[in-house]
Amino acid sequence: MRSDIKGNISSFIITLLILFVLEIFSTALFPLFGLSSIKIPFNILIVLFLGFKINSPYLAFMILFTQYFHSFFSVEGWEMGTVAGILICLLISYLKDLLHFSSAIFTIIVTQIFQVVWFLIISGLYYLKFDGFEYIIEKFWRFIPESIIISILSPFFFSLLDKIWNVGEGGMLGDEA
């Protein structure tokens, strides 16, 4: 496995800067347009991209830093997102050979499926924490439009991150040449 730590760090910092801008957009500008209840979870897209395209021994730390950075803009805990992100990336690693992003529609569908899995993991953790379904049901109704928006944005977002991380079309960073 090729491991270019210097390239990974610079790409990851750029990715976090993009997350910073998108989080500001989502938390500050959406309420100006009357969309205060919708907060687009761009952190999930970044974690999914890392799981799909980056093959690094530091993947868990990248997920941790992404979720911690997201927690500056959210009341949701970074620890639950980190656990969900690592579990999702483990699932992706088992299914990686079956997943090829050959079209925008397939990217949208796969992103939506993994967001549902993410929601189920987070819901299970919230159930353990609160011992009730009230918050989960409320969160579910917000999850539907947010996940659809994220899924529709995923082909564009993944192609942008492909360029930042220098990942070839359909390839993975960290695979042997």
Side-chain angles (χ1 to χ4, degrees):
M1 172 181 7
R2 178 171 59 92
S3 180
D4 181 14
I5 189 72
K6 201 177 284 188
N8 283 351
I9 289 175
S10 63
S11 297
F12 188 64
I13 289 172
I14 292 169
T15 303
L16 287 180
L17 288 174
I18 290 171
L19 178 62
F20 179 76
V21 170
L22 292 172
E23 290 284 358
I24 288 174
F25 180 75
S26 180
T27 58
L29 295 180
F30 279 2
L32 288 175
F33 300 113
L35 302 171
S36 59
S37 64
I38 295 179
K39 292 185 178 44
I40 309 299
F42 292 104
N43 62 311
I44 295 174
L45 266 182
I46 291 174
V47 170
L48 288 176
F49 173 82
L50 293 173
F52 290 138
K53 304 276 183 129
I54 307 302
N55 189 10
S56 172
Y58 307 108
L59 184 60
F61 292 110
M62 289 184 214
I63 294 169
L64 170 68
F65 290 128
T66 301
Q67 289 303 120
Y68 190 71
F69 195 81
H70 169 70
S71 73
F72 297 150
F73 298 94
S74 174
V75 295
E76 296 175 357
W78 58 268
E79 64 282 349
M80 287 186 196
T82 302
V83 169
I86 290 172
L87 290 174
I88 290 288
C89 287
L90 283 171
L91 181 61
I92 289 171
S93 70
Y94 288 117
L95 300 174
K96 199 171 279 190
D97 293 334
L98 302 173
L99 302 172
H100 299 285
F101 298 101
S102 55
S103 70
I105 297 296
F106 186 73
T107 303
I108 290 169
I109 291 169
V110 169
T111 302
Q112 185 65 36
I113 289 169
F114 279 101
Q115 283 186 90
V116 169
V117 174
W118 183 290
F119 178 78
L120 292 174
I121 292 170
I122 292 293
S123 295
L125 294 172
Y126 276 126
Y127 179 74
L128 292 174
K129 184 176 182 177
F130 296 128
D131 195 28
F133 285 107
E134 294 82 24
Y135 182 73
I136 296 169
I137 292 169
E138 175 188 326
K139 189 165 175 61
F140 176 75
W141 293 115
R142 285 184 295 149
F143 164 77
I144 293 172
E146 293 170 357
S147 69
I148 291 170
I149 292 169
I150 286 293
S151 294
I152 291 170
L153 292 175
S154 65
F156 168 75
F157 198 74
F158 284 3
S159 67
L160 174 68
L161 290 178
D162 279 344
K163 291 175 184 154
I164 291 170
W165 286 85
N166 295 321
V167 176
E169 188 69 30
M172 280 187 50
L173 182 67
D175 283 342
E176 293 183 68

